[in-house]
Amino acid sequence: MRQLNILKAILDLVWFFSLVGAIGVLIFLPFYLFESEIDIPIKIKGQVIATNDSLSKIIVFVNIVSGLLFLYSIYLLRKVVGLFQKREIFNDQVIHLFNRIGQLVIASTLISNVSLFIYKFVVKDHVGLSLDLGSYDSFLISISLGLFFMVISVVFKIATKMKEENELTI
């Protein structure tokens, strides 16, 4: 169970620093959205959003929402690891949390990538496709990770049913 403790420590560290960053972004967001004087270029997934028009502000807002969804999925994963530490493994809450984490990771990935695709199409007047396979921020890896959590949810559901049936036969 040492690995579980290391995972919990890493998730807590990521959660803390991400939460501090999210608070900073949420403080900055109203100034960016409602002030026309602020002309700060923002980089999202390697794409520089340099203009200060309405579409750029919407793209930045949507990507912040996407980041917050991902941050919430980290929070839920922390809860799952906490349940595992309490040895509550085959639990309906764990099954629900794994499914929710998968949905949030997929939603966050789709929202972010679709908004940047629209930005490139409208502002840059070109459409491109890139597959960053070696990166943790890859579209396909993120979608696969979300689907993996959803599959784990189904596996845990089957295991819970089998455990209940096994307990009834004894």
Side-chain angles (χ1 to χ4, degrees), residues 13-26 68 71 78:
L13 190 68
V14 168
W15 169 252
F16 174 76
F17 285 113
S18 296
L19 196 59
V20 169
I23 290 169
V25 166
L26 290 175
L68 292 174
L71 186 61
R78 286 177 64 239

Side-chain angles (χ1 to χ4, degrees), residues 4 26 45 49 52 61 89:
L4 197 59
L26 290 175
K45 292 188 177 185
I49 313 287
N52 199 10
F61 177 77
I89 297 171

Side-chain angles (χ1 to χ4, degrees), residues 13 21-22 33 52 58 65 79 82 87 100 115 135 138 154 157:
L13 190 68
L33 292 177
N52 199 10
I58 290 170
V65 169
K79 285 178 70 171
R87 303 212 185 267
R100 178 67 62 191
S115 68
S135 171
S138 166
V154 172
K157 192 176 207 174

